[in-house]
Amino acid sequence: MLMGQSNMAGVADKQASDQNSDARLKVLGGCNQPAGQWNVANPPLNDCPGEKGWNLSTSVDPGIWFGKTLLGKLPEGDTIGLVGTAESGESINTFISGGSHHQMILNKIAKAKTAENARFAGIIFHQGESDSGQTSWPGKVVQLYNEVKEAWGVDYDVPFILGELPAGGCCSGHNNLVHQAADMLPDGYWVSQDGTKVMDQYHFDHASVVLMGTRYGEKMIDALGW
């Protein structure tokens, strides 16, 4: 699952190098592709416009590079199914129970569960700009994880990998809370933003999207023991 706000939804313009033609990497719906079915994954992987109505249909998100990195270690005969639920500009409160995007997440999980031999394998999460510095945020990350796990109906823990917020942006002070949330999760990790750059106060540039997506993938490979 791909979760979070704009740096997970993607803002930087996509390039030819971001494309994927490997049928082993799928996305449930995705921007510019039929909703509610598994399509070959190409950016953007989240809905556009999403529920908030922002149309980022020409952007690239770290999820595609996460998936492309996993392909290099994918066990023979397996397929990766990416489920994008990121919404730009949103607080974590909108993703947990009672929030405006919570039902969308549940609906996507319900659909993903119907895939043959589906197994919930993990989450990557980039969020916090809208909640920067709020000490209640790590606990809400844990709540989100537990609610997602309950929706999948699994009795095992999966890797939950958080991304640091960019140091050159608005909210790098939040990264202490990113680390705290990772420590509070049963199988939590974080990836560094070191070496990234922003286009504005908030958003990774193209090279940084690629870098963060690759780091998410490498961390997930380690966590899954591939």
Side-chain angles (χ1 to χ4, degrees):
M1 293 194 71
L2 318 174
M3 309 191 77
Q5 55 181 116
S6 55
N7 271 318
M8 184 60 72
V11 175
D13 286 342
K14 61 185 174 183
Q15 300 180 11
S17 59
D18 303 317
Q19 296 299 109
N20 164 59
S21 59
D22 195 320
R24 298 174 300 157
L25 183 59
K26 305 283 192 183
V27 63
L28 182 61
C31 181
N32 302 323
Q33 301 208 72
Q37 70 178 49
W38 294 102
N39 304 302
V40 174
N42 274 296
L45 300 175
N46 299 274
D47 294 342
C48 67
E51 292 186 320
K52 192 167 185 175
W54 295 10
N55 192 347
L56 301 174
S57 60
T58 62
S59 66
V60 61
D61 48 287
I64 189 63
W65 286 96
F66 165 73
K68 290 169 77 164
T69 302
L70 291 181
L71 278 175
K73 293 286 188 177
L74 184 66
E76 187 175 354
D78 283 4
T79 300
I80 300 166
L82 302 174
V83 182
T85 65
E87 286 282 343
S88 296
E90 293 294 355
S91 165
I92 195 170
N93 295 317
T94 70
F95 300 123
I96 57 180
S97 58
S100 55
H101 304 306
H102 184 67
Q103 190 61 48
M104 174 269 290
I105 294 170
L106 298 184
N107 291 346
K108 288 203 168 189
I109 292 172
K111 181 64 178 180
K113 286 167 61 175
T114 67
E116 184 178 1
N117 298 321
R119 176 178 171 82
F120 178 35
I123 299 168
I124 63 172
F125 183 71
H126 190 105
Q127 197 276 331
E129 290 89 346
S130 293
D131 302 299
S132 184
Q134 295 185 18
T135 56
S136 62
W137 183 85
K140 292 177 181 178
V141 173
V142 176
Q143 178 182 344
L144 178 64
Y145 168 75
N146 288 332
E147 290 175 350
V148 167
K149 182 179 168 182
E150 180 181 2
W152 277 97
V154 299
D155 60 1
Y156 56 86
D157 289 314
V158 301
F160 190 115
I161 304 172
L162 299 96
E164 285 191 329
L165 279 57
C170 65
C171 312
S172 60
H174 190 76
N175 287 334
N176 288 332
L177 297 177
V178 170
H179 304 163
Q180 183 179 329
D183 288 341
M184 291 169 62
L185 290 158
D187 197 11
Y189 308 85
W190 57 271
V191 295
S192 173
Q193 61 73 46
D194 187 48
T196 64
K197 295 180 180 179
V198 289
M199 303 184 297
D200 51 31
Q201 288 190 60
Y202 305 99
H203 302 115
F204 290 124
D205 65 12
H206 182 272
S208 301
V209 170
V210 175
L211 182 60
M212 291 298 292
T214 303
R215 286 176 175 169
Y216 279 122
E218 291 170 345
K219 184 66 73 173
M220 186 65 76
I221 287 167
D222 289 343
L224 294 174
W226 285 7

